[in-house]
Amino acid sequence: MYKQPAFDHPLLKNHTLQLKPSSLPKGMKLGKSKPASFYGFNDTCPSGTILVHRARKQDLTKSQPFRNQFKAQANDPTANRNHFAIIQNAYGPFYGAHAKMATYKLPDLKADQTSSSTIYLFGDTHVPNNEFNVIEAGWQVSTALYDSSYPRFFTFWTSDGHEKTGCPNLDCPGFVSTTNIYGPGSFIPEFSTYGGEQKYLSILIARDSNTGNWWVTYNNQLPLGYFPKELLPKMQDHASVIQMGGHVNSPLNVPSPPMGSGHSSNEGPNKAAYFIQVTAVGLSNELVKLDPDLIETTCDISDYYCVSDGHDTYGEDVYVFAYGGVGGWLVGACGGGEEVVVAVVDEGVAEHEEGASCRREHGKRSLSEEQHSIGDPLSHGGTGSARNEVGM
């Protein structure tokens, strides 16, 4: 465990390994961890070791384009396309985020495609692009990264807006793993049935108030490891923005992949994929509700992927929302000489770029797309300066 890849990072040379979080958010208790066979293993790794995906040459080759998938459009608009359907709250500070997300099999992905369902935490957004800190956790199907289209749990981080740092899972030094039965890149064991029983993956990302590390807890049972504070200079004290939802990436010469359940977000419960029990971690290490009035919904092509049914249940499921879509051939995605319409959220006006290769049906851009795809200065989600409250 003390010789894992994370400690090859030069910033972690003198890092002290933290074996478990100092505390959990108030009111959250860890359930009994399930046996290794439940997670797809017949046995555990020896005590004092961790699960590490065996890196082969082709894995490292795949990891680089995956890390750069968000920048593909900025460098070559004809190479890849990214689309998203998310909710966003930019009224930090936040000390973590929690949600349960429905898991689905998505068997129809083509080569070099990714469909992810993710919790994002962003550091200070009032910084240059190359100082942007982001940490992520969720589930994904990725033929761009893995040899199969089987859904997997994943983590991701960057400290410079995906310029040079960061990677998925344990593909580069960074994320510190602390368990020997499950970890980043492992298979998702249970799935929802369209129109039937729904299975949920619970993820908590929370800052440890004693160490400053950002811990990831899986299914309210298993602290998997953490993003070390040394790697996240713009998240030393808190996160500024929370995003949750779906993100897809695809080459332009094939239909765009499905997102969520692979069905429209407006089909309702048991058919659309949902995030439920959406909460933030507050200053006093408690789970707090997000004010629905402070949540922005952002979908870049709402005819294909979007967010629906976002509401406070005033019950056990707290805030919920549906997201996703079928995907498919996008109108104008491969045509030439068409016009791209992009709304500049801060100014509330539309800019027009002539001679581009696709048309966006929906105007708003998220922080993710501003930073990862377009590469221009952040619009901060159109919310102005972050406020010093969670919006309870």
Side-chain angles (χ1 to χ4, degrees):
M1 187 175 296
Y2 292 89
K3 297 181 179 180
Q4 62 181 286
F7 299 125
D8 291 335
H9 196 289
L11 293 179
L12 301 181
K13 181 178 180 180
N14 298 314
H15 179 80
T16 299
L17 175 65
Q18 184 179 5
L19 294 176
K20 61 181 181 179
S22 301
S23 62
L24 294 169
K26 296 174 183 176
M28 176 175 284
K29 296 181 180 180
L30 290 182
K32 185 178 179 180
S33 184
K34 296 184 178 181
S37 58
F38 176 82
Y39 298 110
F41 301 98
N42 293 324
D43 199 0
T44 62
C45 293
S47 177
T49 66
I50 62 166
L51 284 171
V52 178
H53 176 65
R54 190 179 299 277
R56 300 164 299 174
K57 184 176 181 180
Q58 58 264 42
D59 295 326
L60 300 176
T61 302
K62 287 181 177 182
S63 181
Q64 180 66 21
F66 184 84
R67 180 168 69 89
N68 291 331
Q69 67 172 323
F70 299 117
K71 300 196 302 179
Q73 287 176 308
N75 298 329
D76 180 2
T78 65
N80 286 78
R81 59 172 174 260
N82 294 278
H83 300 297
F84 56 86
I86 61 170
I87 66 164
Q88 172 177 293
N89 187 314
Y91 293 95
F94 301 108
Y95 299 87
H98 171 268
K100 289 185 175 182
M101 56 188 79
T103 55
Y104 277 88
K105 287 186 176 180
L106 298 172
D108 298 327
L109 269 68
K110 309 299 182 184
D112 297 321
Q113 291 187 322
T114 298
S115 181
S116 303
S117 300
T118 312
I119 297 174
Y120 304 82
L121 288 174
F122 294 77
D124 184 5
T125 58
H126 297 84
V127 296
N129 285 3
N130 63 1
E131 297 180 16
F132 211 68
N133 293 182
V134 189
I135 54 178
E136 310 171 17
W139 67 271
Q140 68 180 183
V141 175
S142 179
T143 54
L145 186 59
Y146 312 108
D147 289 333
S148 72
S149 59
Y150 204 87
R152 299 176 186 247
F153 170 78
F154 82 99
T155 59
F156 197 98
W157 71 276
T158 181
S159 61
D160 62 358
H162 302 271
E163 287 294 327
K164 296 179 180 179
T165 68
C167 63
N169 305 329
L170 306 180
D171 286 0
C172 68
F175 185 84
V176 176
S177 185
T178 59
T179 176
N180 63 339
I181 63 172
Y182 196 78
S186 293
F187 294 122
I188 298 293
E190 295 183 322
F191 308 98
S192 302
T193 301
Y194 177 74
E197 184 180 8
Q198 300 297 287
K199 297 292 186 178
Y200 289 92
L201 167 64
S202 175
I203 292 178
L204 168 70
I205 307 176
R207 180 181 178 275
D208 190 296
S209 59
N210 289 343
T211 65
N213 299 321
W214 291 84
W215 273 86
V216 177
T217 299
Y218 177 90
N219 265 354
N220 295 340
Q221 298 169 342
L222 191 63
L224 295 179
Y226 57 90
F227 301 98
K229 65 177 181 180
E230 292 91 338
L231 303 184
L232 304 166
K234 304 304 180 182
M235 296 180 68
Q236 289 292 300
D237 182 65
H238 63 268
S240 297
V241 178
I242 292 174
Q243 288 183 356
M244 299 185 188
H247 195 128
V248 298
N249 176 264
S250 174
L252 286 177
N253 61 351
V254 293
S256 192
M259 177 194 294
S261 69
H263 293 263
S264 174
S265 63
N266 62 16
E267 291 192 19
N270 302 331
K271 294 183 179 180
Y274 273 78
F275 276 64
I276 65 172
Q277 298 185 16
V278 174
T279 51
V281 180
L283 176 61
S284 299
N285 198 32
E286 78 281 22
L287 291 177
V288 295
K289 295 171 60 175
L290 296 175
D291 186 340
D293 293 336
L294 302 181
I295 293 176
E296 178 188 5
T297 295
T298 309
C299 314
D300 68 321
I301 47 170
S302 57
D303 286 350
Y304 296 87
Y305 311 103
C306 208
V307 173
S308 304
D309 197 25
H311 66 281
D312 192 331
T313 66
Y314 300 100
E316 180 181 352
D317 288 337
V318 198
Y319 187 83
V320 307
F321 69 94
Y323 72 102
V326 179
W329 291 108
L330 307 185
V331 175
C334 295
E338 296 176 339
E339 182 183 53
V340 175
V341 179
V342 178
V344 180
V345 182
D346 272 350
E347 301 175 6
V349 298
E351 291 179 346
H352 301 273
E353 300 178 50
E354 301 294 340
S357 61
C358 63
R359 179 180 180 87
R360 289 198 177 135
E361 302 294 331
H362 191 285
K364 288 187 178 180
R365 293 178 290 178
S366 70
L367 283 176
S368 297
E369 191 191 27
E370 288 274 2
Q371 179 65 22
H372 301 156
S373 290
I374 298 175
D376 57 8
L378 291 169
S379 70
H380 308 298
T383 57
S385 300
R387 303 192 312 187
N388 292 322
E389 61 188 42
V390 175
M392 292 180 282

